[in-house]
Amino acid sequence: QAQLVESGGGTVQAGDSLTLSCGVSRYTYIGRSMGWFRQAPGKKREAVACFYTDGGPTYYADSVKGRFTISLDNANNTLLLQMNSLKPEDSAMYYCAVSGTIDRWVGPRGDVYDYWGQGTQVTVSS
C-alpha cells in the first residue's frame, strides 16, 4: 500500500495563494493518474484537478480553472497544487490520490483512485 502525505494547508484570506504538496513513492505514480480532490462539510467529494503522469489530458473543475495548477515535481516525487485567488468556497479538506492499480488515464472519477492521503485542511476567510 502506497503512502501519500499531504501538506501545505492552512487558513488564509480571500485572494491569497497556497501551494499544497503530496509526497508519494516514485514507483507508485509512474504511468498512473494523479489528482487532488476536496470535500467540504455536508458536501460530496469532488475532483479539483487530475492528470496522467505519462502525458495527455489534464482535468480541472470549472470552479478552479484559471486559478489552480496541478503539477508533478519528479525530482522530489511530489504532487503539487498551486492555488491562487482563493475564495471562501474553496474551503475544504483536500486529498491527493493516485490510481495505483490502474495504469491509464482515469479522469476525475474519485472511486477509481485507490491510494489516498490523509488530507490537509484549507480554510479561506472572506
Side-chain angles (χ1 to χ4, degrees), residues 13 26 28 34 53 55 58 80 84 89 94 96 100-101 120 126:
Q13 293 188 332
R26 183 173 183 83
T28 302
M34 302 182 78
T53 59
T58 300
L80 302 170
N84 298 325
E89 51 263 44
Y94 283 72
C96 63
T101 56
T120 186
S126 58

Side-chain angles (χ1 to χ4, degrees), residues 30-50:
I30 293 177
R32 300 295 188 268
S33 298
M34 302 182 78
W36 287 95
F37 297 77
R38 67 186 181 187
Q39 187 167 22
K43 295 187 177 181
K44 293 182 178 180
R45 183 182 63 198
E46 64 172 343
V48 175
C50 309

